[in-house]
Structures are given as structure tokens and as C-alpha cells.
Amino acid sequence: MRVLSGIQPSGSLHLGNYFGMMKKMIAYQEQAELFCFIANYHAMTSLSDGKALAQGTLEAAANFLALGMDPEKSVFWVQSDLPEVQELTWALSNFTPMGLLERCHSYKDKVAKGIAPNHGLFAYPVLMAADILMFQSEVVPVGKDQKQHVEVTRDIAIKFNNEYGEVFTLPAPEIDEEVAVVPGLDGQKMSKSYGNTIDLFLEEKALRKQIMRIVTDSTPVEEPKDPDKCNLFQIYRLFLDKAEQEALRRRYLDGGMGYGEVKQELFEIIRDFFTPFTEKRRELLADKDGIRRILAQGAEKARYVARKTMGKVRKKVGLIY
Ligand code: ADP
Ligand code: TRP
């Protein structure tokens, strides 16, 4: 089975990114043919500071490597190291009805938020389709917000295949319902753009501060509390197995438990869980050339597959004459 996903190198990482996508990708290395890349072309739709994008790309690579991405077991590269992806985007653009892109929630949300609707933002899903179809991906693990983009990819692939025969494998999004939407400090979806994140790789003090900001209700300590309505519980449970979740649930229902003590426990759990990764990340970032070498090797492996796909596509559409 071939599994592919990408992450934009735009800023810091949070628990939503980790549980919604990265953890699963890292686990897939053991079970599937894994393709994982840093979507720096996509990040250009929201970032025009070149230095920040370049630095963010190296950091995104270090993040994934520190969390356990193994370049020996997977194909791990930076999107823009394969210019083939732009050529495929163009070929696919001719099979992408305007209406399909106009219906994309992500585009509409961004425009509603006041972001200028330029062509890059509009064509974003076509570039994403090229990422996915280039590698004949079967499974695309993403958070709920990206589901529609994978469906658009399928629609484009079907149109292309109808015209030229079975060129592309049809991908399916894979969304783990348990972690489809990791809630943020305020109970809304955790997202950089909402300023409600618990970030990975923080210093202790900053991490503690974020956790203490998790919004809870004002039920007094002695009274029973409802875990299902509590976003502190919803975040905490991500770190617990079934039996541990049940035990925490009981403490909520029994009363006599304060949110402050639960926050302190959660802080310690998150700190202990991520500290080894934070140290690994620091080591990796101290040797940027080392990261560049890993990415260059990954790009070479990815390019081998991309060239094969593009050979087929170029022939089908008539670019080989
Ligand atoms: P953000 O919303 O913070 O900008 P991104 O859009 O960069 O996050 O998301 C990167 C990956 O992490 C995507 O696969 C996305 O679906 C997933 N993801 C982001 N936030 C969450 C969340 N709160 N819950 C589950 N998955 C998430
Ligand atoms: N758009 C995705 C995001 O913002 C990143 C991405 C780019 C991606 N290309 C992809 C994800 C292909 C999965 C497959 O999270």
C-alpha cells in the first residue's frame, strides 16, 4: 500500500498537527510504502518572507525527523526539489473545472478571513492533486480540513483517466475520527490561525503557560464534572490508553477533583512525552547540512517515481513528439 501526505513549513507545530497527521505518518513507515514531504510551494500561498520559508523548511524537516521519520524506511523530501510537480499541476489544471475549485471550503474560508484571493490560493488544490497523483498514492492521511482536497484530487484523476486511460491511481483520504479535530485551548479546532494551540518543542515554562490557559467551566472542585463537555479532557485523552481514559472519566464524574490539578498532570505528561524529541530536534538543527543531505537523498528517491509518472503523462497528453 502506498501512503502519502505533506505538511506545510509554516511556523510552529501543535498537538493538532501531531495527532491529526504526523503520528500516523510515522507509524505508517512500518506498514506501508510511505511518501512524506514538506509542502513549501503550498506555503508560498500564505508566506512571502523568503528567509522565513527557507528556515521553516529546514525546521519542518527537523521536526519530522526528530519525531521519528526515518529516511531509510520512507521517502522524505521537499516539494520544490521536484519541479515535475509543477508540470503535472499544469496538465491537471486542464481537467479541473472552475466550479470544483470555487466550492473548496478552505479557499472560501481564507477569502472570508480577508486573505486576497489570488491565483495561487485558488489553484492550491490542483497542486495538491499533483502531489498525490504523481506518486500513485492510495491512502492520504490528513486532518478533516483537508478531506475535500483529496476528494477534488479524485475528481480530477477520474476526469484525466476518462480521457487518457488508467494513468492515475485514485486516492482516498484517511481520517482518524478519534483525532479528526483536536480541540484547542478554547475548544475550537486547534489551529495556528486561531492562536489556541499547545505547541510542540516548547521550553517548560512556555508549555506550562499554554496548558494553564486551557478554558474550563467554573464547576467547584467538590462537584461532579462532565468529561464530554470539557476540552481539557479532550486534550488529555490523546495521551491515554482506553483504561486510563476511563479512570480519568471516573475522576471527573466522582467530583472532588480540581481542573488545576488535572492541568498540572497534563503539563507533566506532555513535557515528558516531547522532551526527548525536543532534544533530538535541537541536535538536528545544529547540523543543517546534515538535514540538507537527508532531503537531497529523499528527493532523488521521489524523483525516480515522479519521472516515471511524468513520462507516461507527457506521452499521453502529447508533449513527446
Ligand atoms: P493549522 O490549522 O494550524 O494551520 P495546518 O493546516 O498546517 O494546521 O495542518 C497540518 C496538518 O495537521 C494537516 O494534515 C491538518 O489536517 C492537521 N491538523 C491541523 N490542525 C489539526 C487539528 N486541530 N486536529 C486534527 N488535525 C489537524
Ligand atoms: N494542504 C496540506 C495542508 O495544508 C498540505 C499538503 C500539500 C498535502 N500537498 C499535500 C497533504 C498532499 C496531503 C497530500 O495540510
Side-chain angles (χ1 to χ4, degrees):
M1 183 174 62
R2 192 166 279 182
V3 178
L4 172 141
S5 195
I7 193 160
Q8 293 192 48
S10 31
S12 51
L13 283 182
H14 55 71
L15 291 184
N17 302 136
Y18 179 69
F19 286 102
M21 186 261 199
M22 301 175 87
K23 183 178 174 212
K24 193 177 220 172
M25 289 291 279
I26 288 160
Y28 259 132
Q29 298 182 105
E30 312 299 332
Q31 309 147 21
E33 230 185 316
L34 182 72
F35 285 71
C36 180
F37 66 97
I38 318 273
N40 59 342
Y41 280 144
H42 278 106
M44 287 169 71
T45 61
S46 58
L47 192 64
S48 53
D49 176 342
K51 273 200 186 121
L53 181 59
Q55 175 65 18
T57 302
L58 283 170
E59 283 179 12
N63 295 341
F64 246 123
L65 292 167
L67 291 168
M69 183 60 65
D70 180 346
E72 298 296 321
K73 290 186 187 154
S74 58
V75 183
F76 181 57
W77 77 103
V78 175
Q79 187 182 30
S80 66
D81 283 341
L82 264 67
E84 286 86 353
V85 83
Q86 291 297 348
E87 188 182 6
L88 184 55
T89 302
W90 179 247
L92 298 177
S93 285
N94 298 295
F95 291 85
T96 310
M98 294 291 282
L100 198 60
L101 299 181
E102 276 159 0
R103 282 195 295 278
C104 284
H105 306 303
S106 164
Y107 173 72
K108 288 195 286 190
D109 290 351
K110 284 173 188 162
V111 174
K113 263 192 231 147
I115 299 175
N118 63 31
H119 178 253
L121 204 60
F122 190 63
Y124 180 114
V126 193
L127 175 59
M128 189 156 157
D131 292 328
I132 296 170
L133 300 178
M134 181 73 87
F135 299 96
Q136 313 294 352
S137 321
E138 296 164 81
V139 175
V140 184
V142 281
K144 218 176 202 158
D145 56 329
Q146 296 295 322
K147 180 170 179 250
Q148 191 185 27
H149 288 155
V150 184
E151 288 162 358
V152 165
T153 301
R154 274 180 82 91
D155 287 349
I156 298 174
I158 289 170
K159 274 189 171 292
F160 194 96
N161 285 353
N162 277 344
E163 190 68 33
Y164 296 113
E166 296 303 301
V167 178
F168 296 121
T169 304
L170 299 187
E174 187 182 75
I175 293 157
D176 194 338
E177 280 310 320
E178 286 256 299
V179 289
V181 184
V182 173
L185 301 176
D186 54 358
Q188 279 195 90
K189 177 199 161 197
M190 186 177 288
S191 172
K192 281 190 284 290
S193 39
Y194 301 152
N196 64 354
T197 58
I198 296 177
D199 296 333
L200 310 188
F201 312 125
L202 284 180
E203 296 298 329
E204 264 196 61
K205 219 170 140 194
L207 175 65
R208 193 161 192 285
K209 209 167 151 194
Q210 286 192 343
I211 290 170
M212 293 304 154
R213 278 180 52 217
I214 297 176
V215 178
T216 48
D217 62 24
S218 52
T219 316
V221 173
E222 57 287 356
E223 278 183 34
K225 301 175 181 61
D226 184 351
D228 297 316
K229 289 205 182 110
C230 178
N231 48 309
L232 175 57
F233 181 86
Q234 298 306 323
I235 297 171
Y236 198 154
R237 87 183 163 80
L238 298 166
F239 293 89
L240 304 178
D241 64 25
K242 283 270 172 294
E244 291 165 335
Q245 282 184 39
E246 226 13 75
L248 180 62
R249 179 176 286 279
R250 275 260 63 87
R251 283 170 63 202
Y252 265 76
L253 297 172
D254 288 349
M257 174 207 79
Y259 290 124
E261 75 186 67
V262 180
K263 286 183 181 177
Q264 177 62 29
E265 280 171 33
L266 178 61
F267 158 67
E268 287 167 19
I269 287 179
I270 296 185
R271 179 197 59 196
D272 295 349
F273 187 83
F274 286 110
T275 295
F277 302 131
T278 307
E279 278 163 18
K280 178 85 193 145
R281 178 181 186 267
R282 201 175 301 124
E283 281 167 30
L284 283 158
L285 281 171
D287 176 17
K288 295 206 168 102
D289 280 338
I291 300 178
R292 290 188 185 100
R293 271 195 298 278
I294 291 173
L295 293 171
Q297 281 165 11
E300 211 170 297
K301 285 201 259 177
R303 206 153 188 200
Y304 178 79
V305 183
R307 286 217 173 103
K308 253 191 179 155
T309 302
M310 285 321 290
K312 231 191 249 177
V313 169
R314 295 183 114 239
K315 192 154 180 233
K316 290 280 189 191
V317 302
L319 295 176
I320 304 212
Y321 53 89

